[in-house]
Amino acid sequence: MTAPWMIHQPLDMHLHLRQGDMLKTVAPVSAEWFAGAVIMPNLIPPITNLERLVAYREEIEEAVGHLDFTPLMTLFFRDYTRDELLAVRPHLLGIKLYPDGVTTNSESGVRKLDEFHHVFKIMEELRIPLLVHGESHGFVLDREKEFLSSYEFLAENYPDLTIVMEHITTADAVALLDRHANLHATVTLHHLLLTLNDMAGGLLQPHLFCKPILKRPEDREALQSAVLSGHPKLMFGSDSAPHPISAKECCGCAAGVFSAPVILPMLADFFDQNGCRERLQGFISDYAVNLHKLTLPTKQIRLDRQSWVVPERYDSVVPFKAGATMAWQASRIS
Ligand code: NCD
Ligand code: ZN
């Protein structure tokens, strides 16, 4: 008999949990399977000070109840002083930079990077990682590609700054990762498995509409081969981003895919189909633990080839693969 497939301390390095009732619905889904997650700060208004960060962490802890789960908090990038960053440093994993207006709740983001030299210098000095939504304001399919020069600017000018290119989607971004020691990246489940055809190739699929937009087959191919090769700078970050059905199935659909319920079963299937089961542990946990030197709750997940059907709804939210049959099931062992 072969040994069961176990995953130790799975981590989601990019997660949107929202607040209020939505938080209560979605937080336990992630906390059931993950030992921790990097929590995005794009609330309304965004999290821009220590007080709000601590209050939000407490709200999350309450929502996950008895489940062992570490919310790794982030601040929304702005013009912080050294004293502010010194005070907040013990409480956060990194600071998330959004170009203004490129995605959900990013209106107060940054227009010109070079105006924030002093903040990047302080972050570099204090060893606070910079997490970046790397998209320009250009043509939607080219936005990530057009932002790559900004990543190079940051990587070259702040060599001691740890920079995470969030949710990369293109072959060009994968290639850039190898050119600068201080660049790292997260990859989502949906960008790893889908292309723009899945969202807009037939009848429009609003629940697959997200930022960055899904890309070309050759980009997906580059992501898949980098992830399956065990690239140690590529970490899993779901970008699971729930919106109520009323904000998705309407005119002016909000961007975001709620993938949290299906992450582990779908990754298990993907790594298994590609004959790379042993590579999942690094992608879903070890690379991130090493990069950020994390201490997390012990959590063991067993992956079994057993089918189950994804619910049509989680309260007001339609999940990725709603109603579909999964080939793998995840169970919590401890
Ligand atoms: C995210 C959201 O809804 O907050 N949406 C998305 O499409 N990914 C924001 C983001 O991470 O871009
Ligand atoms: Zn996101």
Side-chain angles (χ1 to χ4, degrees):
M1 218 174 79
T2 51
W5 187 3
M6 302 294 295
I7 295 292
H8 182 55
Q9 293 182 320
L11 269 175
D12 184 343
M13 298 306 288
H14 184 135
L15 180 64
H16 297 269
L17 289 179
R18 318 299 190 202
Q19 290 183 277
D21 288 345
M22 181 67 92
L23 171 68
K24 291 194 186 92
T25 299
V26 303
V29 177
S30 289
E32 172 83 13
W33 309 116
F34 288 87
V38 177
I39 311 300
M40 290 297 130
N42 62 331
L43 307 183
I44 309 171
I47 308 266
T48 50
N49 61 47
L50 176 57
E51 197 186 336
R52 294 206 55 233
L53 181 147
V54 170
Y56 187 35
R57 188 178 58 212
E58 286 169 0
E59 207 180 326
I60 294 167
E61 282 164 356
E62 197 179 315
V64 303
H66 67 282
L67 295 164
D68 250 7
F69 175 78
T70 304
L72 301 160
M73 305 305 290
T74 61
L75 277 183
F76 191 99
F77 188 90
R78 66 165 171 81
D79 194 357
Y80 291 104
T81 65
R82 190 171 186 283
D83 283 351
E84 282 177 307
L85 292 185
L86 253 185
V88 80
R89 184 174 57 160
H91 301 271
L92 94 181
L93 180 118
I95 299 183
K96 176 75 187 286
L97 185 150
Y98 293 87
D100 60 336
V102 294
T103 190
T104 310
N105 307 339
S106 63
E107 291 68 24
S108 58
V110 165
R111 172 70 47 169
K112 284 192 171 149
L113 287 181
D114 51 11
E115 288 172 1
F116 295 91
H117 172 71
H118 52 292
V119 186
F120 298 132
K121 285 308 278 183
I122 302 166
M123 289 175 66
E124 193 178 30
E125 179 213 338
L126 299 180
R127 304 280 178 211
I128 298 176
L130 177 70
L131 319 179
V132 184
H133 183 117
E135 289 199 285
S136 73
H137 296 82
F139 176 64
V140 71
L141 275 174
D142 295 335
R143 286 178 187 176
E144 182 173 288
K145 196 179 163 83
E146 288 176 1
F147 195 86
L148 296 182
S149 57
S150 299
Y151 278 129
E152 298 217 77
F153 165 83
L154 290 167
E156 281 164 12
N157 285 285
Y158 310 99
D160 291 330
L161 181 65
T162 294
I163 302 164
V164 183
M165 306 193 284
E166 294 294 336
H167 43 53
I168 60 168
T169 61
T170 58
D172 296 305
V174 174
L176 186 62
L177 204 52
D178 292 327
R179 291 212 286 275
H180 299 275
N182 55 339
L183 285 183
H184 304 265
T186 59
V187 178
T188 76
L189 178 70
H190 45 285
H191 292 105
L192 192 61
L193 299 182
L194 307 178
T195 71
L196 188 53
N197 267 12
D198 293 292
M199 196 269 280
L203 292 178
L204 188 69
Q205 304 298 315
H207 298 288
L208 300 181
F209 173 59
C210 59
K211 299 289 176 67
I213 200 104
L214 294 166
K215 297 293 190 310
R216 301 171 181 282
E218 52 271 34
D219 289 311
R220 177 178 62 177
E221 187 69 43
L223 288 183
Q224 291 189 348
S225 49
V227 165
L228 291 171
S229 75
H231 197 305
K233 294 170 100 185
L234 275 178
M235 305 170 283
F236 176 71
S238 71
D239 198 10
S240 178
H243 292 277
I245 192 165
S246 57
K248 295 291 281 177
E249 297 184 7
C250 62
C251 184
C253 166
V257 177
F258 177 50
S259 57
V262 297
I263 292 167
L264 293 177
M266 292 195 74
L267 284 178
D269 195 45
F270 174 68
F271 279 77
D272 179 63
Q273 296 271 347
N274 286 283
C276 298
R277 282 191 190 193
E278 73 288 353
R279 298 266 160 86
L280 177 56
Q281 179 64 44
F283 180 54
I284 197 111
S285 182
D286 298 353
Y287 306 150
V289 168
N290 291 340
L291 175 64
H292 297 290
K293 303 190 177 39
L294 300 172
T295 312
L296 294 160
T298 313
K299 211 167 203 172
Q300 301 272 14
I301 304 291
R302 199 181 68 213
L303 298 167
D304 295 296
R305 199 189 294 274
Q306 195 181 323
S307 63
W308 61 284
V309 176
V310 181
E312 295 285 351
R313 297 275 173 88
Y314 285 73
D315 291 341
S316 65
V317 192
V318 177
F320 182 30
K321 294 286 173 186
T325 301
M326 295 283 107
W328 288 83
Q329 188 163 54
S331 330
R332 208 149 49 87
I333 303 304
S334 66

